[in-house]
Amino acid sequence: MPTSINKQIESLREQLRYHSYRYYVLDDPDIPDAEYDRLHKQLIALEDENPELITSDSPTQRVGSTPLTSFDQIQHQMPMLSLDNVFSDDDVLAFNQRIQSRLNSEDAIEYVAEPKLDGLAISIRYEKGELIYAATRGDGSTGENVTQNIRTMQSVPLRLLGGNYPQVLEVRGEVFMPKAGFEKLNQQARENEEKEFANPRNAAAGSLRQLDPTVTAKRPLNLYCYAVGVVEGGVMADTHYEILQQLKDFGLPVCNEIKRVLGVDACVAYYEGILNKRDELPYDIDGIVYKVNAIELQRRLGFVARAPRWAIAHKFPAQEEISKIIAVDFQVGRTGAITPVARLEPVFVGGVTVSNATLHNMSEIRRKDVRVGDQVIVRRAGDVIPEVARVVPGSRKKLLAEIQMPTKCPVCESDVEQIEGEAIARCTGGLFCSAQRAEAIKHFASRKAMDIDGLGDKLVEQLVDENLIGSAADLYQLTIKDLSALERMGEKSAINLVNALAVSKQPKLSRFIYALGIREVGETTARNLANEFKTLAGIQGASYEQLIEVQDIGPVVAQHIVHFFQQAHNLDVINQLLDAGIEIQNVKQSESEVLEKTAFSGKTIVITGTLPNLSRDEAKDKLLAAGAKVSGSVSAKTDYLLAGDKAGSKLTRAEKLGVQVIDEAGMLAMLDK
Ligand code: D41
């Protein structure tokens, strides 16, 4: 009887280990989470009844209950090396040159390229397949014993899989916190009014340094292995890449972006590829590591000081740098929103020089307690606007005044209004405020609105500054004479612009609605309004109740639309536009019915890569006109991916999810049907 219980317990443990492996190593679970939980509960119940059968490598034994008072030191039997850093392609070429000349080889070297995770290096020791201890890197020779904490991580096997592992195996890897887990942790911290972590790296470090493992157990930590240390009583493969495959077979997680590349050019190409999808990766990385693949070549190359000659880290441009706030200005946007902007000592961050960064709004300023004169972390990630992320802790050496929202608009001196419960303060000047006027007119003229060729942002500002126009309607009163009198404007350009204005006079209803710049009415909403109500009068006369019935329109947008058409000055501008000869192309009664019948009606489509003939915006216009929804990211809900050249990660994702992929010709053929 006890043997059969023992068998049952062992079988449950094996199943749980296997499913963890499917989940964490293969990223391909074959049972739902609930089923895993059920097996886990079953094991707990059996172990509760038979405590003498509990072993320390059981999946139930991850979280120890005794907090430490301090961490013990552990001496690494084999030191943990460091990595040299380089920042430019030239440095990578030089690295490759050194290797080729040391090896006396003209042939392209095979490398393994790996994302460089931004976490903490650790070493985990397994003996006879059982996790014995885990230690931080420390100074490379001695680290801290963090076994209790590492054991709480679901992705770390307490027992290796299969039987082919060496008797002693030390694996080295990076412990990190995925971006989503980090956001969630900070969200909780905000709700509990606790201190937030500055970035995922700090959060991972803080979590690993917890003396109480029950705290660590609640932290979303993950591990990717990237090397082996001590290996005894068994052999590992003779290339780095195959060693990583072996680690996976033992149940250890390895990053699946890791690739073999032949030659230094392929290294740099890999770097560019990963840099391009850096923001889409679910974890932070700060560069790429290149390693010579053949272990024999690694051995021949050897080490300098504490770093191998056969590996190097090619760092990405930093996304965060320190600068100082010289002043704070308040910018007025098209909708009157007032945004505090920090003027900074210029700093190179995310690949560009930044001297202005947004502070978002007053509540963000208070939350981060930012003041003029502070040393701050400036952050520029991907294509997003540079922002002041936080004050450098402990850097404020003297009393600094709090930043105040001005009570009057810095542009027109109208009152500034801060609505209760809304983060954003607004100028109440409306079209009276020249900032809003200029922005409103730029928007009106823009490509997706009235598409007035040759009327760029600078020219609009010039026209507003010189008081030649006070509203969009005034554009249509401009003469060649007025325009040629402007600085930097030749007669030819003046003629072209007047022509472009004339050409723009027959906008589709949806473009005209979009051009009005009603708050939160984007292209799609404008199109839905046009399809629903068919005429400007129809939209203008629509009640709040009618508006919220329209696809994609919620209470807030409906309120903005109603409010817009209640403002006398807005009606004035519309009437002036109509008087100036604007002829809106209404939606014909039958048109949206036709819309519903296309192959794309109601379908969700993502566009990626470079199309052979159409621009992405042109393709999008065609798809929207055919009743499609165009979205930015591929998910299980995506119906089609329209893919052009250099489609990249969205294509990979679409293929993985089984989303149908079409090209430009395919799309045009479907539209023709
Ligand atoms: O992802 C990383 N952070 C990473 C770090 C990596 N992918 N590979 C690494 N390889 C090494 C050698 C070549 C020395 C085995 C490393 C590190 N070292 C490393 N991490 C911290 C110090 C050194």
Side-chain angles (χ1 to χ4, degrees):
M1 159 79 172
T3 52
S4 93
I5 292 213
N6 209 350
K7 270 198 188 135
Q8 214 179 327
I9 287 181
E10 248 333 296
S11 151
L12 280 169
R13 288 176 186 161
E14 257 165 45
Q15 290 179 62
L16 287 166
R17 286 182 191 125
Y18 173 73
H19 292 303
S20 284
Y21 163 75
R22 301 267 333 187
Y23 190 93
Y24 289 102
V25 181
L26 302 185
D27 190 16
D28 183 24
D30 58 358
I31 56 166
D33 291 357
E35 177 62 13
Y36 182 95
D37 291 343
R38 203 185 58 75
L39 294 170
H40 197 257
K41 286 210 179 88
Q42 218 178 326
L43 179 58
I44 290 179
L46 281 176
E47 288 183 341
D48 270 353
E49 290 163 23
N50 306 277
E52 72 285 1
L53 297 179
I54 297 177
T55 55
S56 70
D57 66 356
S58 170
T60 59
Q61 303 301 302
R62 288 196 169 273
V63 189
S65 52
T66 31
L68 302 172
T69 48
S70 68
F71 293 106
D72 289 339
Q73 301 275 307
I74 284 191
Q75 175 115 28
H76 298 295
Q77 188 184 332
M78 188 184 276
M80 290 181 77
L81 301 172
S82 59
L83 272 177
D84 281 340
N85 286 330
V86 295
F87 289 88
S88 73
D89 293 1
D90 283 348
D91 294 337
V92 178
L93 296 181
F95 162 74
N96 179 62
Q97 271 305 318
R98 287 197 298 276
I99 288 182
Q100 295 210 316
S101 63
R102 272 199 170 258
L103 295 174
N104 224 334
S105 159
E106 306 266 283
D107 301 337
I109 306 282
E110 184 169 64
Y111 292 100
V112 174
E114 314 181 349
K116 183 170 183 299
L117 291 145
D118 201 5
L120 290 105
I122 56 145
S123 180
I124 310 178
R125 185 174 173 105
Y126 290 89
E127 291 179 12
K128 300 198 185 91
E130 197 181 327
L131 191 157
I132 302 297
Y133 65 73
T136 60
R137 178 171 179 278
D139 63 3
S141 310
T142 313
E144 283 178 324
N145 184 338
V146 287
T147 312
Q148 282 219 66
N149 290 340
I150 292 295
R151 284 179 64 97
T152 67
M153 293 169 52
Q154 294 292 333
S155 55
V156 175
L158 299 179
R159 158 159 292 286
L160 297 180
L161 296 185
N164 291 330
Y165 42 76
Q167 291 303 292
V168 178
L169 175 67
E170 278 182 17
V171 289
R172 270 95 198 253
E174 200 85 356
V175 169
F176 61 95
M177 188 175 285
K179 290 176 192 168
F182 166 75
E183 294 301 336
K184 223 162 145 189
L185 187 65
N186 267 357
Q187 172 77 32
Q188 280 166 10
R190 272 197 295 279
E191 279 162 16
N192 300 334
E193 293 186 14
E194 288 162 6
K195 216 164 139 16
E196 293 175 48
F197 287 106
N199 53 48
R201 199 200 119 80
N202 288 3
S207 304
L208 213 53
R209 291 204 40 86
Q210 287 292 331
L211 291 164
D212 181 355
T214 60
V215 177
T216 313
K218 293 188 199 116
R219 299 287 170 80
L221 293 177
N222 207 343
L223 166 76
Y224 280 147
C225 300
Y226 55 67
V228 292
V230 176
V231 177
E232 287 169 12
V235 278
M236 298 297 287
D238 56 9
T239 65
H240 176 62
Y241 192 79
E242 284 165 331
I243 291 176
L244 296 180
Q245 301 312 304
Q246 284 178 297
L247 294 182
K248 279 203 217 178
D249 293 341
F250 301 158
L252 291 157
V254 173
C255 173
N256 61 16
E257 300 290 343
I258 296 179
K259 295 271 154 31
R260 266 176 302 201
V261 290
L262 187 61
V264 71
D265 292 344
C267 288
V268 174
Y270 176 91
Y271 174 96
E272 291 297 332
I274 297 285
L275 182 56
N276 272 331
K277 63 176 188 182
R278 183 182 192 181
D279 293 337
E280 290 162 42
L281 292 175
Y283 39 79
D284 269 355
I285 57 174
D286 59 356
I288 302 295
V289 186
Y290 311 119
K291 301 177 181 175
V292 171
N293 191 25
I295 304 296
E296 170 59 16
L297 297 186
Q298 290 186 3
R299 196 193 53 75
R300 280 170 54 195
L301 288 161
F303 310 92
V304 254
R306 307 217 118 228
R309 283 206 191 86
W310 44 265
I312 204 151
H314 186 185
K315 301 278 283 256
F316 292 145
Q319 293 184 318
E320 292 191 348
E321 287 291 351
I322 294 178
S323 179
K324 186 178 160 185
I325 300 196
I326 307 166
V328 171
D329 288 346
F330 291 86
Q331 279 179 354
V332 190
R334 173 170 68 86
T335 60
I338 299 184
T339 309
V341 176
R343 306 288 174 217
L344 304 162
E345 285 176 355
V347 16
F348 192 75
V349 50
V352 299
T353 301
V354 169
S355 43
N356 303 309
T358 182
L359 287 158
H360 299 292
N361 55 56
M362 287 315 285
S363 60
E364 282 292 285
I365 290 182
R366 293 288 176 261
R367 187 171 73 77
K368 297 171 182 164
D369 190 24
V370 180
R371 303 181 188 199
V372 174
D374 271 332
Q375 299 269 88
V376 292
I377 311 276
V378 181
R379 185 174 165 77
R380 179 179 178 273
D383 294 335
V384 299
I385 301 171
E387 62 165 357
V388 172
R390 59 194 178 274
V391 176
V392 175
S395 66
R396 193 179 294 157
K397 296 288 179 270
K398 55 179 188 222
L399 267 174
L400 298 172
E402 279 192 12
I403 296 166
Q404 301 296 344
M405 174 60 71
T407 54
K408 302 284 183 195
C409 169
V411 174
C412 74
E413 301 196 331
S414 299
D415 287 346
V416 168
E417 153 191 69
Q418 171 93 55
I419 294 171
E420 268 291 307
E422 255 195 51
I424 295 166
R426 281 175 205 283
C427 162
T428 55
L431 289 179
F432 170 71
C433 176
S434 71
Q436 293 176 68
R437 230 157 38 205
E439 291 305 314
I441 297 168
K442 285 182 203 169
H443 173 77
F444 182 85
S446 65
R447 206 166 40 78
K448 291 173 182 172
M450 300 291 279
D451 195 15
I452 304 171
D453 229 18
L455 187 57
D457 288 0
K458 283 274 171 301
L459 184 54
V460 171
E461 277 163 27
Q462 211 177 349
L463 290 167
V464 170
D465 286 348
E466 310 230 343
N467 262 325
L468 283 171
I469 53 173
S471 77
D474 294 343
L475 286 170
Y476 294 94
Q477 309 303 329
L478 289 170
T479 63
I480 296 170
K481 205 166 137 228
D482 292 338
L483 290 166
S484 350
L486 286 172
E487 226 176 287
R488 291 191 303 273
M489 172 71 92
E491 186 171 281
K492 186 130 186 288
S493 317
I495 294 172
N496 286 344
L497 180 53
V498 171
N499 281 338
L501 280 161
V503 169
S504 76
K505 279 186 177 177
Q506 279 157 359
K508 281 203 239 163
L509 176 59
S510 59
R511 278 180 174 268
F512 185 80
I513 292 297
Y514 174 66
L516 291 175
I518 306 169
R519 279 181 56 198
E520 292 183 45
V521 175
E523 288 165 88
T524 308
T525 308
R527 204 176 291 267
N528 291 340
L529 284 167
N531 278 340
E532 181 67 28
F533 298 105
K534 316 288 188 206
T535 63
L536 176 62
I539 298 170
Q540 224 170 307
S543 67
Y544 172 86
E545 287 74 18
Q546 286 171 308
L547 287 167
I548 52 173
E549 291 300 314
V550 178
Q551 195 187 0
D552 285 343
I553 296 186
V556 175
V557 183
Q559 193 55 58
H560 287 323
I561 297 168
V562 169
H563 186 81
F564 182 91
F565 289 112
Q566 280 169 351
Q567 302 298 304
H569 57 243
N570 291 333
L571 300 181
D572 286 347
V573 173
I574 292 174
N575 286 330
Q576 286 162 23
L577 283 166
L578 299 177
D579 288 346
I582 299 278
E583 286 174 33
I584 299 168
Q585 307 298 299
N586 289 329
V587 178
K588 294 198 191 73
Q589 215 52 42
S590 60
E591 234 172 38
S592 51
E593 285 158 30
V594 173
L595 271 185
E596 274 151 33
K597 272 189 270 153
T598 80
F600 292 111
S601 318
K603 302 285 187 202
T604 302
I605 300 172
V606 176
I607 309 176
T608 186
T610 315
L611 302 174
N613 302 301
L614 299 171
S615 73
R616 290 232 281 256
D617 277 329
E618 285 165 345
K620 180 174 172 184
D621 277 345
K622 283 191 190 297
L623 289 165
L624 289 175
K629 283 188 223 135
V630 176
S631 150
S633 59
V634 177
S635 75
K637 294 206 185 92
T638 309
D639 294 296
Y640 298 101
L641 179 75
L642 172 57
D645 211 26
K646 301 223 173 74
S649 63
K650 286 186 186 162
L651 180 57
T652 323
R653 189 163 160 74
E655 283 166 348
K656 192 166 164 190
L657 292 172
V659 170
Q660 191 175 343
V661 179
I662 54 174
D663 61 5
E664 182 188 284
M667 172 190 88
L668 294 174
M670 285 168 74
L671 283 172
D672 265 354
K673 261 189 222 151

mmCIF file of all heavy atoms in Angstrom, residues 153 193 226 237 241 258 264 288 296 418 445 501 523 601 634 670:
data_model
loop_
_atom_site.group_PDB
_atom_site.id
_atom_site.type_symbol
_atom_site.label_atom_id
_atom_site.label_comp_id
_atom_site.label_asym_id
_atom_site.label_seq_id
_atom_site.Cartn_x
_atom_site.Cartn_y
_atom_site.Cartn_z
ATOM 1 N N MET A 153 11.115 30.165 -7.696
ATOM 2 C CA MET A 153 10.815 30.521 -9.092
ATOM 3 C C MET A 153 10.315 29.297 -9.855
ATOM 4 O O MET A 153 11.030 28.307 -9.991
ATOM 5 C CB MET A 153 12.068 31.088 -9.779
ATOM 6 C CG MET A 153 12.487 32.437 -9.203
ATOM 7 S SD MET A 153 14.116 32.941 -9.779
ATOM 8 C CE MET A 153 13.930 32.771 -11.534
ATOM 9 N N GLU A 193 0.023 52.324 -1.773
ATOM 10 C CA GLU A 193 0.825 53.503 -1.438
ATOM 11 C C GLU A 193 2.207 53.117 -0.930
ATOM 12 O O GLU A 193 2.728 53.681 0.030
ATOM 13 C CB GLU A 193 0.073 54.403 -0.448
ATOM 14 C CG GLU A 193 -1.152 54.998 -1.109
ATOM 15 C CD GLU A 193 -1.897 56.027 -0.258
ATOM 16 O OE1 GLU A 193 -1.319 56.470 0.746
ATOM 17 O OE2 GLU A 193 -3.024 56.365 -0.626
ATOM 18 N N TYR A 226 22.455 30.745 -19.800
ATOM 19 C CA TYR A 226 23.280 31.084 -20.950
ATOM 20 C C TYR A 226 24.682 30.473 -20.914
ATOM 21 O O TYR A 226 25.502 30.782 -21.775
ATOM 22 C CB TYR A 226 23.374 32.594 -21.149
ATOM 23 C CG TYR A 226 23.851 33.377 -19.948
ATOM 24 C CD1 TYR A 226 25.143 33.242 -19.466
ATOM 25 C CD2 TYR A 226 22.998 34.270 -19.313
ATOM 26 C CE1 TYR A 226 25.581 33.959 -18.373
ATOM 27 C CE2 TYR A 226 23.431 35.001 -18.221
ATOM 28 C CZ TYR A 226 24.714 34.839 -17.761
ATOM 29 O OH TYR A 226 25.145 35.546 -16.682
ATOM 30 N N ALA A 237 28.070 19.045 -24.831
ATOM 31 C CA ALA A 237 28.375 19.082 -26.262
ATOM 32 C C ALA A 237 29.599 19.958 -26.527
ATOM 33 O O ALA A 237 30.086 20.647 -25.634
ATOM 34 C CB ALA A 237 27.173 19.610 -27.026
ATOM 35 N N TYR A 241 26.044 26.390 -28.730
ATOM 36 C CA TYR A 241 24.640 26.295 -29.114
ATOM 37 C C TYR A 241 24.040 24.956 -28.688
ATOM 38 O O TYR A 241 22.930 24.901 -28.150
ATOM 39 C CB TYR A 241 24.486 26.481 -30.625
ATOM 40 C CG TYR A 241 23.061 26.677 -31.045
ATOM 41 C CD1 TYR A 241 22.438 27.914 -30.887
ATOM 42 C CD2 TYR A 241 22.315 25.630 -31.577
ATOM 43 C CE1 TYR A 241 21.121 28.104 -31.247
ATOM 44 C CE2 TYR A 241 20.989 25.812 -31.944
ATOM 45 C CZ TYR A 241 20.399 27.049 -31.774
ATOM 46 O OH TYR A 241 19.088 27.236 -32.135
ATOM 47 N N ILE A 258 17.763 33.172 -29.172
ATOM 48 C CA ILE A 258 19.176 32.887 -29.406
ATOM 49 C C ILE A 258 19.370 32.190 -30.745
ATOM 50 O O ILE A 258 18.650 31.251 -31.064
ATOM 51 C CB ILE A 258 19.742 32.030 -28.249
ATOM 52 C CG1 ILE A 258 19.678 32.840 -26.946
ATOM 53 C CG2 ILE A 258 21.167 31.569 -28.546
ATOM 54 C CD1 ILE A 258 20.191 32.100 -25.721
ATOM 55 N N VAL A 264 30.765 38.021 -38.922
ATOM 56 C CA VAL A 264 30.508 39.215 -38.122
ATOM 57 C C VAL A 264 29.362 40.042 -38.691
ATOM 58 O O VAL A 264 28.611 40.677 -37.947
ATOM 59 C CB VAL A 264 31.807 40.040 -37.953
ATOM 60 C CG1 VAL A 264 32.222 40.715 -39.258
ATOM 61 C CG2 VAL A 264 31.654 41.051 -36.834
ATOM 62 N N ILE A 288 23.231 42.858 -27.125
ATOM 63 C CA ILE A 288 23.369 41.505 -27.658
ATOM 64 C C ILE A 288 24.717 40.961 -27.192
ATOM 65 O O ILE A 288 25.690 41.715 -27.122
ATOM 66 C CB ILE A 288 23.356 41.522 -29.211
ATOM 67 C CG1 ILE A 288 22.067 42.159 -29.733
ATOM 68 C CG2 ILE A 288 23.560 40.125 -29.785
ATOM 69 C CD1 ILE A 288 20.810 41.396 -29.418
ATOM 70 N N GLU A 296 36.074 24.342 -28.542
ATOM 71 C CA GLU A 296 37.506 24.185 -28.778
ATOM 72 C C GLU A 296 38.140 25.554 -29.112
ATOM 73 O O GLU A 296 39.210 25.894 -28.607
ATOM 74 C CB GLU A 296 37.729 23.168 -29.915
ATOM 75 C CG GLU A 296 39.142 23.074 -30.451
ATOM 76 C CD GLU A 296 40.183 22.699 -29.395
ATOM 77 O OE1 GLU A 296 39.806 22.213 -28.310
ATOM 78 O OE2 GLU A 296 41.390 22.937 -29.650
ATOM 79 N N GLN A 418 -9.029 73.171 -14.591
ATOM 80 C CA GLN A 418 -8.626 71.805 -14.242
ATOM 81 C C GLN A 418 -9.877 71.095 -13.769
ATOM 82 O O GLN A 418 -10.412 71.390 -12.708
ATOM 83 C CB GLN A 418 -7.570 71.837 -13.128
ATOM 84 C CG GLN A 418 -7.231 70.486 -12.544
ATOM 85 C CD GLN A 418 -6.042 69.842 -13.241
ATOM 86 O OE1 GLN A 418 -4.974 70.428 -13.330
ATOM 87 N NE2 GLN A 418 -6.252 68.642 -13.755
ATOM 88 N N ALA A 445 -5.648 70.983 -42.092
ATOM 89 C CA ALA A 445 -4.976 70.900 -43.389
ATOM 90 C C ALA A 445 -4.270 69.568 -43.603
ATOM 91 O O ALA A 445 -3.856 69.258 -44.711
ATOM 92 C CB ALA A 445 -3.961 72.042 -43.502
ATOM 93 N N LEU A 501 -5.795 74.610 -52.265
ATOM 94 C CA LEU A 501 -6.968 74.958 -51.450
ATOM 95 C C LEU A 501 -8.242 74.739 -52.260
ATOM 96 O O LEU A 501 -9.221 74.182 -51.753
ATOM 97 C CB LEU A 501 -6.863 76.419 -50.991
ATOM 98 C CG LEU A 501 -5.928 76.626 -49.793
ATOM 99 C CD1 LEU A 501 -5.499 78.083 -49.674
ATOM 100 C CD2 LEU A 501 -6.617 76.168 -48.507
ATOM 101 N N GLU A 523 -9.972 59.282 -37.182
ATOM 102 C CA GLU A 523 -10.422 58.895 -38.525
ATOM 103 C C GLU A 523 -11.554 57.885 -38.491
ATOM 104 O O GLU A 523 -12.526 57.993 -39.230
ATOM 105 C CB GLU A 523 -9.284 58.180 -39.263
ATOM 106 C CG GLU A 523 -8.156 58.998 -39.719
ATOM 107 C CD GLU A 523 -7.035 58.033 -40.070
ATOM 108 O OE1 GLU A 523 -7.015 57.589 -41.229
ATOM 109 O OE2 GLU A 523 -6.226 57.702 -39.179
ATOM 110 N N SER A 601 -15.561 43.431 -44.638
ATOM 111 C CA SER A 601 -16.499 44.029 -43.678
ATOM 112 C C SER A 601 -16.361 43.369 -42.323
ATOM 113 O O SER A 601 -16.425 42.152 -42.217
ATOM 114 C CB SER A 601 -17.944 43.865 -44.141
ATOM 115 O OG SER A 601 -18.062 44.115 -45.497
ATOM 116 N N VAL A 634 -0.962 42.147 -33.804
ATOM 117 C CA VAL A 634 -1.528 40.857 -34.179
ATOM 118 C C VAL A 634 -1.964 40.095 -32.927
ATOM 119 O O VAL A 634 -1.179 39.983 -31.978
ATOM 120 C CB VAL A 634 -0.488 40.013 -34.945
ATOM 121 C CG1 VAL A 634 -1.049 38.643 -35.284
ATOM 122 C CG2 VAL A 634 -0.047 40.740 -36.208
ATOM 123 N N MET A 670 -9.166 40.826 -53.493
ATOM 124 C CA MET A 670 -10.333 40.616 -52.630
ATOM 125 C C MET A 670 -11.259 41.829 -52.664
ATOM 126 O O MET A 670 -12.477 41.709 -52.577
ATOM 127 C CB MET A 670 -9.883 40.334 -51.190
ATOM 128 C CG MET A 670 -9.315 38.930 -51.012
ATOM 129 S SD MET A 670 -8.493 38.714 -49.436
ATOM 130 C CE MET A 670 -9.885 38.617 -48.314
#
